[in-house]
Amino acid sequence: MEITKLENRDILIEQTKKDDERSDLKQHADKMLRDFEKFNDHSSNRAIWELVQNACDLTIECEIEIDYRYNKISFTHNGKPFDTKSLISLIKQVSGKYGIQDEDDIPEVGKYGTGFLTTHSFGRKFIIDSVLDTGSYYIPIQKFEIDRTPKTWELLSDNISAQKKRVYNILESANSIDSIEPKTIFTYLPETPKEFEYIDKSLENLDDYIPLVFTINERLKKVTIIGKDDTITNYTFQEKNKVDNAKNINLYQTIISKDGSPIH
């Protein structure tokens, strides 16, 4: 009888802990679900902008690759890696940098925040391949799944909790490495017709959109687009020149190349 009471008490304690954590995560889950309902035909362009902007926040020599093959979209950048705080922030979807920032190294342009949720127009489930910077050594992050497909806050909160625990498991058991090549990959896994449509729409607009992003963000140096048919298009920053004018306004012309040919 005493053993049964102890077992029941253990079950009660575990359920209480689970309910308490669910309650703590409810605000994060609710906000995600509300924002998912706001996706529209402009979300795909906003999503690309958010991915590019966030990548440029993590390096002053930003190089990006967007891969549309295999019925999904992958976004790769060479910015600084995650630390534990930033990875947990991403899982909970709270504002903050997804990488360690040196105060005198990379001045901030913007912060990760709710705008990043627009990238879920490409799929509410995505995979992260990157590196975790502990401050003294690195730990590979391999096929770390972020699953935001649940339709209720209770189930979404459970997913957030499970993903947080996986970070702890990585810290406890994953092998460390001494050096890295900066590389982070977000791979979105579309499941609904609308998500596939948003991915297609983002590809259609890139030829007009990418030159504009180069003009706005000076940290962006190269963008490589791999199409569904394996075609590769390279956009590369060339130079930025001041344009003389009668009113002495600070005007500049940004010159980039597309597959080696200059465009203005």
Side-chain angles (χ1 to χ4, degrees):
M1 176 69 75
E2 290 300 321
I3 293 177
T4 301
K5 287 183 178 180
L6 288 174
E7 288 177 345
N8 289 340
R9 182 172 296 182
D10 288 341
I11 293 173
L12 178 61
I13 291 172
E14 287 304 312
Q15 185 61 46
T16 301
K17 288 180 179 178
K18 182 177 180 180
D19 291 342
D20 181 57
E21 185 174 30
R22 261 189 174 183
S23 178
D24 290 341
L25 294 174
K26 182 179 186 299
Q27 60 175 320
H28 304 297
D30 277 341
K31 180 163 182 29
M32 291 183 201
L33 293 172
R34 287 196 303 269
D35 285 351
F36 291 158
E37 296 299 320
K38 299 176 183 178
F39 292 160
N40 55 47
D41 289 341
H42 301 291
S43 295
S44 57
N45 283 344
R46 173 72 186 277
I48 294 294
W49 165 254
E50 288 293 334
L51 289 167
V52 172
Q53 180 71 11
N54 294 340
C56 289
D57 282 350
L58 297 171
T59 176
I60 58 175
E61 297 286 335
C62 187
E63 296 187 6
I64 287 167
E65 178 184 280
I66 309 176
D67 190 341
Y68 285 89
R69 296 174 297 177
Y70 315 121
N71 293 316
K72 55 190 176 184
I73 181 172
S74 293
F75 182 93
T76 303
H77 70 74
N78 65 334
K80 289 187 175 183
F82 290 94
D83 61 5
T84 52
K85 181 179 178 180
S86 57
L87 185 54
I88 293 294
S89 294
L90 171 58
I91 290 169
K92 294 169 63 176
Q93 193 54 61
V94 295
S95 182
K97 293 293 183 184
Y98 293 177
I100 295 174
Q101 300 294 305
D102 298 327
E103 291 182 1
D104 57 351
D105 187 6
I106 302 176
E108 292 185 359
V109 167
K111 289 186 176 181
Y112 279 86
T114 56
F116 184 78
L117 284 175
T118 61
T119 69
H120 290 66
S121 61
F122 298 146
R124 295 193 190 182
K125 184 184 295 184
F126 63 96
I127 306 294
I128 300 172
D129 290 282
S130 186
V131 174
L132 191 65
D133 187 349
T134 68
S136 54
Y137 58 89
Y138 303 97
I139 300 176
I141 300 174
Q142 298 174 324
K143 299 189 182 306
F144 191 103
E145 183 178 273
I146 303 291
D147 184 355
R148 292 170 176 167
T149 56
K151 300 297 191 295
T152 66
W153 74 263
E154 293 90 349
L155 294 179
L156 184 53
S157 295
D158 290 345
N159 276 15
I160 296 171
S161 175
Q163 290 151 21
K164 286 173 56 182
K165 290 174 183 175
R166 188 178 172 196
V167 176
Y168 306 145
N169 291 337
I170 290 175
L171 293 171
E172 290 173 356
S173 59
N175 294 326
S176 64
I177 54 179
D178 295 326
S179 61
I180 62 165
E181 174 190 357
K183 185 177 182 179
T184 295
I185 307 172
F186 294 89
T187 302
Y188 290 83
L189 308 175
E191 295 181 352
T192 69
K194 202 66 178 176
E195 289 167 353
F196 282 104
E197 178 184 330
Y198 284 142
I199 290 175
D200 289 342
K201 188 174 181 61
S202 73
L203 177 58
E204 291 174 1
N205 297 329
L206 279 182
D207 204 41
D208 295 325
Y209 192 68
I210 292 298
L212 177 61
V213 178
F214 271 100
T215 301
I216 295 172
N217 200 317
E218 295 182 2
R219 299 180 188 178
L220 185 60
K221 305 304 179 184
K222 183 178 180 180
V223 176
T224 299
I225 309 297
I226 305 178
K228 293 183 177 182
D229 57 356
D230 294 324
T231 57
I232 298 176
T233 305
N234 288 304
Y235 299 87
T236 307
F237 173 81
Q238 298 294 313
E239 59 184 341
K240 182 176 182 179
N241 300 318
K242 188 171 183 178
V243 179
D244 293 330
N245 60 91
K247 296 185 178 181
N248 292 321
I249 300 173
N250 287 328
L251 297 178
Y252 294 88
Q253 180 186 48
T254 299
I255 301 175
I256 66 173
S257 68
K258 177 181 177 181
D259 294 332
S261 299
I263 58 177
H264 301 267

